[in-house]
């Protein structure tokens, strides 16, 4: 299967022109020719089948033959708010794997103990795009620009809100608290964890404290664990 990401495609149009970058990849790298069948995803749930009409390396023309809307749409909405790691490659790894597993929105939060306070999202979005193509997902996760934790706590969210932290306080298990097929927002802190004051602010903002197991996890591992658990519980 040759899959292309085409966020500007219009379902009602019978033809689509691949971008110059994608055209070059299709013709020069994949050696596709007129008559070759390809698949397209628009990042909004649309999965398209098309046939190459003109294999031009700068503007390949496709004839759309079928459209499936809501392709493999999941039964829940997951928003993870995670502190960027000092080593950006670890954040990139998390975004790739979380996208493959299933996630809808990611917020990068800056907290008191954050070791990285600036992030360029262009490259991160490219990693997410590559991951949806690799895992054949028609929905492109939203990656929000970095925001301070206090600002995120003030944003409205219609769903369950959780915070994972390492403080020795009573915590809940996701399997006991999760309302299935719902909407979820989970906070994951930096390597040094949230401060006690930040935890208290989150609790006062309606977040419930959760445990992700007995091990002390790195930021990106904790975020991926939360992503996996929520997806797994909603598949049962």
């Amino acid at each position: 299967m040759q899959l292309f990401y085409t966020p500007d495609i219009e379902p009602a149009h019978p033809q689509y022109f691949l971008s110059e970058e994608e055209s070059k990849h299709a013709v020069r790298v994949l050696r596709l020719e007129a008559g070759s069948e390809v698949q397209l995803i628009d990042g909004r749930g649309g999965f398209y089948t098309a046939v190459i009409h003109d294999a031009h390396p700068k503007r390949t023309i496709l004839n759309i033959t079928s459209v499936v809307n809501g392709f493999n749409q999941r039964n829940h909405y997951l928003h993870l708010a995670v502190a960027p790691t000092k080593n950006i490659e670890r954040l990139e790894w998390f975004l790739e794997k979380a996208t493959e597993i299933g996630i809808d929105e990611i917020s990068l939060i800056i907290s008191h103990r954050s070791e990285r306070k600036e992030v360029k999202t262009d490259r991160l979005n490219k990693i997410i795009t590559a991951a949806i193509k690799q895992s054949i997902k028609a929905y492109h996760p939203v990656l929000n620009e970095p925001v301070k934790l206090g600002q995120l706590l003030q944003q409205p969210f219609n769903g369950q809100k959780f915070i994972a932290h390492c403080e020795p306080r009573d915590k809940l298990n996701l399997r006991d608290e999760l309302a299935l097929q719902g909407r979820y927002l989970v906070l994951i802190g930096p390597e040094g964890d949230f401060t006690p004051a930040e935890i208290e602010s989150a609790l006062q903002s309606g977040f419930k404290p959760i445990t992700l197991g007995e091990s002390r996890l790195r930021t990106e591992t904790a975020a991926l664990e939360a992503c996996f658990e929520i997806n797994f519980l909603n598949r049962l």
Side-chain angles (χ1 to χ4, degrees):
M1 177 187 294
Q2 304 299 344
L3 187 66
F4 297 89
Y5 177 51
T6 55
D8 59 341
I9 193 171
E10 295 293 338
H13 291 178
Q15 280 193 335
Y16 179 77
F17 296 84
L18 284 180
S19 67
E20 183 173 348
E21 181 181 359
E22 291 283 43
S23 294
K24 182 178 179 180
H25 182 69
V27 177
R28 300 296 191 205
V29 179
L30 299 177
R31 304 291 185 183
L32 299 178
E33 301 175 345
S36 298
E37 185 177 88
V38 298
Q39 279 69 41
L40 317 172
I41 49 176
D42 61 10
R44 306 182 301 274
F47 182 87
Y48 304 73
T49 298
V51 174
I52 295 179
H53 175 69
D54 181 13
H56 194 284
K58 289 190 175 181
R59 198 175 185 185
T60 293
I61 303 174
L62 306 177
N63 290 333
I64 309 299
T65 59
S66 68
V67 183
V68 177
N69 293 312
F71 180 76
N72 285 346
Q73 184 174 17
R74 295 178 304 119
N75 61 3
H76 61 283
Y77 187 95
L78 175 57
H79 180 182
L80 275 179
V82 56
T85 53
K86 183 178 181 180
N87 182 345
I88 197 65
E89 291 181 356
R90 285 162 48 193
L91 178 62
E92 293 172 354
W93 175 86
F94 158 71
L95 291 173
E96 179 184 74
K97 302 311 174 187
T99 299
E100 292 176 6
I101 292 171
I103 193 169
D104 300 281
E105 186 174 357
I106 306 105
S107 288
L108 303 176
I109 51 172
I110 308 303
S111 63
H112 181 72
R113 293 172 177 164
S114 292
E115 294 184 288
R116 176 180 288 275
K117 300 185 184 296
E118 294 184 1
V119 180
K120 295 181 180 179
T121 56
D122 287 348
R123 172 173 166 78
L124 300 182
N125 264 311
K126 290 180 180 178
I127 289 171
I128 292 174
T129 299
I132 67 169
K133 292 168 68 175
Q134 190 280 327
S135 54
I136 315 178
K137 285 184 166 49
Y139 291 91
H140 194 293
V142 175
L143 177 64
N144 298 317
E145 292 293 327
V147 63
K148 291 184 178 180
L149 175 62
Q151 293 175 274
L152 184 130
L153 295 180
Q154 295 175 5
Q155 295 176 4
F157 181 78
N158 181 25
Q160 290 185 288
K161 300 188 293 186
F162 303 103
I163 178 172
H165 64 79
C166 300
E167 286 286 306
R169 307 187 186 190
D170 290 337
K171 300 170 193 173
L172 307 166
N173 284 303
L174 274 172
R175 66 175 179 271
D176 300 323
E177 294 298 317
L178 212 65
L180 299 183
Q181 300 184 23
R183 294 171 55 86
Y184 321 106
L185 170 56
V186 184
L187 300 181
I188 304 292
E191 291 296 319
D193 201 10
F194 294 114
T195 66
E198 289 173 333
I199 296 171
E200 191 59 37
S201 293
L203 298 181
Q204 291 178 3
S205 298
F207 286 80
K208 294 182 179 180
I210 57 169
T211 176
L212 297 174
E214 299 302 321
S215 300
R216 184 172 64 181
L217 304 176
R218 289 184 179 274
T219 293
E220 73 279 9
T221 311
L224 193 64
E225 173 67 17
C227 179
F228 170 77
E229 285 194 29
I230 290 174
N231 275 277
F232 177 73
L233 290 169
N234 275 284
R235 287 203 306 270
L236 296 180

